[in-house]
Amino acid sequence: MTTLAIVSALLDEQKGLLDQLQHPTKRERAGRTFWCGQWAGHEVVLVLSKVGKVAAASTTATLIEAFGVERVLFTGVAGGIGDGVKVGDVVVADAFIQHDMDSGPLFPRFEIPLYGRATLDCDAALSALLLEAVHAGLAGVGDHFHRDSLLAYAAVHSGLIASGDQFVCDPLTVHKIRTDLQSAGHQALAVEMEGAAVAQVCFDYGIPFAAMRTISDRADADAHMDFSAFVQQVASPYALAVVSQFMQSLPKR
Ligand code: ADE
């Protein structure tokens, strides 16, 4: 049976997912802990990507080469930079770009050298399934947050996510990332630090990839505040609710 990797960026987020794993076994490799087991009748491997594009690429290559995974799902948090993308919303990626990729003058801005492209698409079928799972999952947990006035109702977005080796936390940087991307014809909803790397390794191996990010901040001066509280109280329950739905609806192959 096809093995699915569930890659998380943060330990708190992974903890809730790990509790769902049946017959978990632990394997250490390349400085990472891989948890293998079953979830809703699927073979799964859970792992933390670590932070940044190189770490995420290394994790993904290990998942594929050493654990034989054939589908990859990523869950994490991101800074919202798109208009109307607010804290507590969820973005399902339809493609990734590296906002810090610049090999000019040899290649056009943002183009991945020797790939002839700047963006890498997520798998359409897996992403559609994930989008449905986000809507269904949030319908369950969203009420709780709204009732407690923690958050306005979460909106769900689908679109481009920009990755870079930088925690973005000031409006000038956001403005530059947005305008640079726009001048090359790209509009990103959110920034984070791993997705484009996972997408590139999955592209190299021809492996379907889907990703969701809960918006933890607006990539401004408040971006670091209450980050761990947000992850514990909001992003982790969201991830658990969504991934649980996703696992129920994922076709067995
Ligand atoms: N992940 C969550 N928030 C982020 C931000 N502001 N920049 C980069 N990665 C993030």
Side-chain angles (χ1 to χ4, degrees):
M1 192 192 292
T2 321
T3 303
L4 170 80
I6 304 174
V7 187
S8 309
L10 302 160
L11 184 62
D12 277 321
E13 208 182 43
Q14 193 200 39
K15 273 187 202 144
L17 305 179
L18 212 46
D19 289 342
Q20 305 301 313
L21 207 58
Q22 289 169 326
H23 315 296
T25 58
K26 183 179 170 182
R27 285 175 58 191
E28 306 283 348
R29 188 146 183 152
R32 285 145 176 81
T33 302
F34 296 83
W35 290 96
C36 307
Q38 291 89 43
W39 188 343
H42 297 277
E43 292 296 327
V44 293
V45 184
L46 265 61
V47 68
L48 291 176
S49 61
K50 299 200 172 180
V51 179
K53 290 185 289 172
V54 174
S58 164
T59 308
T60 310
T62 305
L63 279 165
I64 296 167
E65 288 288 355
F67 292 86
V69 311
E70 290 167 281
R71 295 188 277 199
V72 176
L73 172 68
F74 195 104
T75 76
V77 293
I81 65 164
D83 293 334
V85 179
K86 61 186 192 308
V87 172
D89 288 357
V90 174
V91 177
V92 172
D94 68 9
F96 280 93
I97 192 165
Q98 295 177 52
H99 66 72
D100 55 359
M101 174 59 78
D102 188 356
S103 299
L106 300 180
F107 295 92
R109 184 74 211 270
F110 303 115
E111 186 169 312
I112 311 165
L114 311 180
Y115 282 65
R117 59 174 74 213
T119 57
L120 292 171
D121 290 341
C122 296
D123 182 74
L126 213 56
S127 301
L129 213 63
L130 181 58
L131 198 58
E132 277 173 31
V134 170
H135 282 290
L138 261 53
V141 287
D143 278 354
H144 157 75
F145 291 113
H146 188 63
R147 206 173 41 238
D148 295 352
S149 300
L150 262 177
L151 294 169
Y153 274 113
V156 181
H157 311 266
S158 173
L160 182 67
I161 295 182
S163 309
D165 288 315
Q166 180 182 16
F167 188 84
V168 181
C169 54
D170 84 277
L172 284 177
T173 309
V174 171
H175 180 74
K176 182 159 173 33
I177 290 173
R178 277 180 57 131
T179 49
D180 285 357
L181 284 171
Q182 268 161 13
S183 56
H186 307 290
Q187 257 175 338
L189 297 173
V191 284
E192 41 80 298
M193 301 177 70
E194 296 84 20
V198 180
Q200 188 169 333
V201 176
C202 288
F203 175 86
D204 287 345
Y205 284 88
I207 282 184
F209 169 54
M212 67 163 271
R213 292 274 182 169
T214 302
I215 300 301
S216 55
D217 56 80
R218 279 288 303 176
D220 55 17
D222 296 332
H224 63 289
M225 287 175 53
D226 287 334
F227 189 77
S228 53
F230 179 87
V231 172
Q232 277 171 27
Q233 291 167 21
V234 182
S236 300
Y238 274 19
L240 177 57
V242 170
V243 178
S244 300
Q245 286 286 338
F246 180 84
M247 294 309 300
Q248 299 300 332
S249 51
L250 185 68
K252 299 207 171 51
R253 290 206 266 128

